[in-house]
Amino acid sequence: MNLPKINRRRVLAGLSTVPLAAAGFPALAQDRPARPAEAPGDRRTTLLRGADLVLTMDPHVGKGTLGQLENGVDVLLKDGTVAAVGHGLTAPAGARVLDTRGKIVLPGFVDLHNHLWQSSIRGGCSNEDLYGWLSDCNRVTLPKIGPQDMYRFVHLAALDALQAGVTTLVDWVHPVPYDTSARYIKALDDSGLRFVYASTQSAADAHLIPKIKKDFLDPLPLASVQVSAHAGMGQIKELRALYEVARDLGVMFNSHVLENKGDRADDPIRSLREIDAFGPNLLMNHAIHLTDEEIALTGEHDVRIAHCPLSNMRLASGICPLPAFHQQGVKAGLGHDGGTNDTSDMFNVMKAAVGLQRARHEDAAIHPTLPAVLRMATLGGAEAIGMADRVGSLTPGKRADVVVLDPGTLNFAPRFDWTSQIVLNGQPPNVSEVFVDGHLRKSQGELLHVDTERVVREAELAAAHLRDA
């Protein structure tokens, strides 16, 4: 059956998957109720019935590199996993059945690089390059945000990403106090996203990262951790200390690398190689100004890349050499990059990733092609962070992170080549349903269990606090 549209003003009561105290979160009197579990009447077993197009991203499930299936395709979600994909599937007794005739089904988007707290400075320092923006917006703002307002900014941005079809998000979190980390993580968890908390601290406070992981992240089924850092020879002692934390925890190391040509002076690639971090457990964000030799080494050592084209454009940083990385077999995905992406629109990011390379090379066939960029936004991102065994494709047995697109809109119709239209015409309002781990988080274009007006109002209140500060 079709689910009714949820009134934005209504907040459905319920209990968090993990109780607040059990997760070790310090309580705040102003906390709203934690994110509810599926409301009464919702079911973890769902049959998406009769989709016109399903892009599984698995060539063993459908045709071609995108695993394409057409004309009345069913997708069965059961117990948080993709149970089956095909024609004529039978709905189990008691299952929720959603009519997806005329619609497109694909895996949820994977955002490899974000800074959700930077919703606090959206549109800020708009005439600055990277260094000016860091100096005048980023560094002066973060210390002024307390735990309560941090929750408000992060919750707003996380819900924005979710409603736009992002189901897995890597948040590169600047150094914040322990109690602020608690609020930050709670905001992410309350949103319903699957998330990676990429935590950095000073060398003196590096011990806080394992504690944050144990106290706040380990109890949450949709959370995981990375250790993040800024690479460069000038801070190699701190870089080594943080890498040792990542190695001890057995998690990925996540670093901004050569985002601006001025970063070359600090030789970040050399610093990462000297601490022995240059390998498959390293995610490099931006990676714009590498030499040909460094690009070859990136492929040889199976280092991963997060490409953030809209942020790179806004900050006049340059264009990532994606075709050269692709030729070296580098695993790469897409990222939004917080306050300088100016949107949580993965459709826009995909289009920019394609358009920048075509304009630079004057070649319409250059990598990434439209199918390639769709893969980057889903399975490619999952591969880059070692999560392709769980998410990124609609392969039976993987977690049920699924997006349903409605192409019957003024911006998308009429049908010509839907695969291309997803990239070239798609917008967040085309995202009609979003499932994370089998839980329905957006239905008929509306976020469930969310009072959107209250979320916006509280973010505005937090912004007022910043202006007063």
Side-chain angles (χ1 to χ4, degrees):
M1 66 179 179
N2 290 325
L3 292 179
K5 187 168 288 189
I6 303 298
N7 190 313
R8 291 187 184 200
R9 297 177 182 272
R10 187 180 178 202
V11 180
L12 300 180
L15 296 177
S16 174
T17 306
V18 178
L20 183 65
F25 292 107
L28 286 178
Q30 298 88 349
D31 274 337
R32 67 171 55 80
R35 171 175 54 84
E38 295 266 343
D42 288 346
R43 303 178 181 92
R44 295 288 309 276
T45 300
T46 301
L47 182 67
L48 305 178
R49 172 73 80 192
D52 277 24
L53 175 65
V54 175
L55 300 179
T56 68
M57 302 297 159
D58 186 340
H60 300 291
V61 176
K63 297 179 181 178
T65 57
L66 300 187
Q68 182 170 320
L69 295 168
E70 296 188 68
N71 302 323
V73 186
D74 303 332
V75 180
L76 179 62
L77 314 179
K78 186 176 182 180
D79 298 328
T81 67
V82 177
V85 181
H87 294 85
L89 300 182
T90 301
R96 169 176 49 201
V97 179
L98 294 183
D99 184 359
T100 54
R101 288 175 296 177
K103 295 187 178 181
I104 303 168
V105 179
L106 68 160
F109 297 129
V110 178
D111 177 3
L112 282 191
H113 186 60
N114 216 319
H115 310 281
L116 293 182
W117 72 267
Q118 290 175 354
S119 66
S120 60
I121 43 179
R122 282 177 170 172
C125 302
S126 56
N127 294 322
E128 302 274 15
D129 68 0
L130 172 65
Y131 297 148
W133 185 85
L134 288 172
S135 174
D136 297 342
C137 271
N138 187 81
R139 290 173 185 148
V140 298
T141 303
L142 181 62
K144 300 176 183 178
I145 303 177
Q148 179 184 354
D149 285 343
M150 183 64 80
Y151 178 98
R152 291 165 168 168
F153 289 131
V154 174
H155 195 225
L156 174 90
L159 290 172
D160 183 32
L162 180 67
Q163 64 87 24
V166 172
T167 54
T168 298
L169 182 145
V170 181
D171 203 344
W172 202 105
V173 183
H174 294 79
V176 295
Y178 177 81
D179 58 343
T180 303
S181 296
R183 313 302 338 133
Y184 204 121
I185 292 166
K186 181 165 173 27
L188 280 162
D189 185 51
D190 284 354
S191 74
L193 280 169
R194 187 184 306 279
F195 66 94
V196 181
Y197 190 82
S199 179
T200 191
Q201 296 286 344
S202 67
D205 291 331
H207 65 281
L208 288 177
I209 298 174
K211 182 173 175 56
I212 289 168
K213 176 181 182 295
K214 178 177 181 294
D215 292 350
F216 306 139
L217 296 166
D218 288 351
L220 304 177
L222 298 183
S224 54
V225 68
Q226 294 175 356
V227 177
S228 54
H230 287 286
M233 293 302 296
Q235 57 265 23
I236 192 165
K237 290 183 179 180
E238 183 169 294
L239 188 69
R240 180 175 284 110
L242 290 168
Y243 178 64
E244 287 174 356
V245 173
R247 187 183 57 198
D248 291 345
L249 292 176
V251 301
M252 288 194 75
F253 197 52
N254 185 324
S255 184
H256 292 83
V257 176
L258 289 169
E259 180 177 359
N260 184 286
K261 61 184 178 182
D263 298 344
R264 168 60 58 190
D266 209 18
D267 210 346
I269 299 294
R270 178 187 167 195
S271 70
L272 290 165
R273 296 188 69 196
E274 285 207 8
I275 67 169
D276 202 28
F278 211 69
N281 286 325
L282 173 63
L283 177 66
M284 296 197 304
N285 307 298
H286 305 291
I288 298 172
H289 299 283
L290 279 73
T291 65
D292 291 343
E293 180 184 4
E294 289 169 337
I295 291 170
L297 285 170
T298 300
E300 179 183 336
H301 291 271
D302 196 19
V303 176
R304 290 48 186 321
I305 299 295
H307 176 41
C308 307
L310 289 180
S311 173
N312 299 159
M313 292 163 64
R314 211 257 236 188
L315 295 175
S317 296
I319 301 174
C320 177
L322 270 184
F325 282 126
H326 181 64
Q327 289 174 358
Q328 297 295 331
V330 174
K331 296 178 178 66
L334 300 173
H336 283 104
D337 197 27
T340 55
N341 191 78
D342 302 305
T343 172
S344 293
D345 184 347
M346 188 62 82
F347 304 97
N348 220 351
V349 173
M350 289 190 288
K351 186 158 49 181
V354 171
L356 280 173
Q357 301 303 330
R358 290 187 180 188
R360 181 173 207 172
H361 295 275
E362 300 181 27
D363 180 358
I366 197 73
H367 179 82
T369 62
L370 295 177
V373 84
L374 271 169
R375 192 182 185 282
M376 286 179 69
T378 53
L379 185 58
E383 289 174 341
I385 53 174
M387 293 179 67
D389 60 331
R390 286 167 278 168
V391 299
S393 70
L394 303 183
T395 303
K398 286 192 181 183
R399 306 310 300 175
D401 292 3
V402 184
V403 166
V404 180
L405 303 181
D406 181 3
T409 58
L410 293 174
N411 67 288
F412 208 111
R415 183 170 184 174
F416 187 83
D417 177 353
W418 267 0
T419 300
S420 297
Q421 284 169 264
I422 293 171
V423 178
L424 299 176
N425 300 92
Q427 298 174 11
N430 293 112
V431 178
S432 57
E433 276 76 33
V434 177
F435 292 84
V436 181
D437 213 51
H439 292 286
L440 184 60
R441 297 300 179 204
K442 184 179 184 181
S443 178
Q444 298 185 44
E446 296 284 341
L447 287 172
L448 300 180
H449 321 308
V450 175
D451 183 343
T452 304
E453 292 180 4
R454 177 178 177 177
V455 172
V456 171
R457 187 168 61 250
E458 292 190 351
E460 292 288 4
L461 178 62
H465 294 163
L466 276 183
R467 288 192 294 270
D468 290 342

